[in-house]
Amino acid sequence: MYSNPHDNAGIRDVTIVPEVVEYINKRDCDFRICTSCGGPILLPVQVKPPKKSDLLLQAGNHTVYVSIHQARFLHSIRMDMIPFFDDPEMAGHEYG
């Protein structure tokens, strides 16, 4: 499941909620968890390309790259990490 040559020990317990896996499958691309002024954010790699230092998580048939700066604080990848501007269908939804 984890094919990154870097040590993924700190990320093995991170869960990806089913709604996020569904969202990723619908978008049909890889994503990256990176740092924003509001905390961790999930963006398509076309917007925020992965770095060599990122850790990898599998989400369906896609990869979620996780910034090493976020990995130590991350416990789950949730819908509230998807910016509303990235998907008009998300506007107006509140996740907690």
Side-chain angles (χ1 to χ4, degrees):
M1 182 173 184
Y2 305 100
S3 58
N4 193 317
H6 300 283
D7 178 18
N8 281 330
I11 201 162
R12 290 188 180 165
D13 294 329
V14 174
T15 59
I16 304 174
V17 299
E19 294 84 7
V20 172
V21 175
E22 184 178 315
Y23 177 81
I24 289 170
N25 285 335
K26 182 178 177 185
R27 294 290 305 268
D28 196 26
C29 64
D30 294 339
F31 280 77
R32 182 169 189 257
I33 292 282
C34 51
T35 304
S36 77
C37 58
I41 191 169
L42 183 68
L43 294 172
V45 294
Q46 293 87 345
V47 174
K48 193 66 173 175
K51 295 182 178 180
K52 290 182 180 181
S53 59
D54 287 349
L55 304 176
L56 308 179
L57 287 174
Q58 196 68 36
N61 293 324
H62 298 283
T63 301
V64 176
Y65 297 88
V66 180
S67 163
I68 59 169
H69 302 291
Q70 286 296 326
R72 61 185 155 179
F73 305 110
L74 198 60
H75 300 288
S76 65
I77 299 175
R78 306 172 314 274
M79 291 299 287
D80 63 349
M81 295 177 177
I82 299 170
F84 294 136
F85 68 84
D86 189 47
D87 190 340
E89 291 180 25
M90 299 293 294
H93 286 81
E94 189 143 337
Y95 297 93

